[in-house]
Amino acid sequence: MNKKLAAALSGGAVLAVALTGCSSGDKGNPKLDAWAKQVCDAVPAQDAKIKAANAAITKTASDTSNPPATIQKTDSKAFQDMSDGYKALGAAISGAGAPPGVDDGTKRQQAAVKNLNDLSSAYADLKKKVDALDTKSQGKFATGLHDIATQMTDLQKQSQSGTVALQALEQGDVKDAIAKQASCKKVSTSDSGSATAG
C-alpha cells in the first residue's frame, strides 16, 4: 500500500528546482542580483531535504517486508522534512521581499510564498495523519495509508500550482538574476533531468 504513496510523492513533491533557470544574458541589476542571491542561497539545503524525504518514502515503500511501525516512522519524518523544507523556502522568498524593479513583483512574490506555505501546512497535516495510524492492525494501517496516498495525489496538483507561482516569480530579469547565482546553478545541475532546465 505504501507503493501508492511513493508513486504519489515522486510525481511532483520537489518544486524548489523551479527556482533554477537558464540565463539569456542580462545587463545586470545589482539590487535584483542581491535579491536573487538571498533567495537562491536558501534553495540547495531545502531542495536536498525534500529530495531526501522523497527518497526515504520510496525506499521504505519498495521494501514490502517493512512493518507498519517502520513505515510510519519513515513517512512521519519525511512529511515533517517536506513541511520544514517548503516553509523555509517560503520564508526565504518572503524575507527577500519583492524582487526590485519588477512589474507585479510584490503580487508574484506573495503568490509564491502563499503556495509554499500552503504546501508546508499540507505536509504537516499528512504527518499528523500518519502519526495517528494504527500500526498494530495491518488492515487499519493499510486503509489509513491508502487514504494518505489519495491525499498525496491531491497535493500533487497543489505542488504544480506552486511550481507555476515560482515560475511566474522568476520571469524576465528575475530569471536572469537567479540564473547567475551559484547556489541555484548547483540545484539546476543536480537536476539535469528536470523539465525546468532552459
Side-chain angles (χ1 to χ4, degrees):
M1 193 50 65
N2 208 30
K3 283 187 178 170
K4 189 170 180 182
L5 182 64
L9 271 171
S10 61
V14 180
L15 80 155
V17 293
L19 272 173
T20 59
C22 301
S23 179
S24 56
D26 70 306
K27 301 139 207 82
N29 173 338
K31 285 183 182 173
L32 190 55
D33 289 346
W35 178 90
K37 181 175 180 352
Q38 187 174 344
V39 170
C40 281
D41 284 355
V43 171
Q46 304 315 321
D47 184 60
K49 182 187 283 191
I50 292 164
K51 280 187 189 147
N54 269 313
I57 288 178
T58 304
K59 185 176 177 204
T60 306
S62 63
D63 183 352
T64 53
S65 66
N66 277 324
T70 301
I71 295 169
Q72 181 186 49
K73 185 178 176 186
T74 302
D75 291 358
S76 175
K77 181 181 183 318
F79 288 143
Q80 183 64 58
D81 286 349
M82 287 184 200
S83 177
D84 292 346
Y86 286 122
K87 188 173 187 176
L89 287 169
I93 294 172
S94 178
V102 175
D103 291 340
D104 288 341
T106 302
K107 187 176 166 188
R108 288 195 260 167
Q109 176 227 12
Q110 287 170 350
V113 170
K114 181 183 183 314
N115 272 284
L116 290 165
N117 287 340
D118 287 351
L119 278 168
S120 174
S121 297
Y123 281 110
D125 185 49
L126 285 178
K127 179 195 182 313
K128 283 181 198 159
K129 287 184 174 158
V130 116
D131 288 346
L133 292 179
D134 182 353
T135 57
K136 292 180 178 59
S137 162
Q138 185 81 40
K140 284 182 184 173
F141 185 76
T143 301
L145 210 54
H146 175 78
D147 293 343
I148 288 170
T150 302
Q151 280 186 269
M152 283 298 307
T153 306
D154 295 338
L155 201 51
Q156 275 186 302
K157 293 177 192 135
Q158 192 175 337
S159 179
Q160 285 163 354
S161 72
T163 303
V164 169
L166 283 172
Q167 287 170 338
L169 176 65
E170 101 168 61
Q171 292 302 307
D173 290 346
V174 176
K175 186 170 187 169
D176 292 331
I178 284 173
K180 290 194 292 188
Q181 304 307 314
S183 44
C184 272
K185 280 182 190 168
K186 181 178 165 190
V187 174
S188 185
T189 54
S190 72
D191 281 284
S192 53
S194 166
T196 56

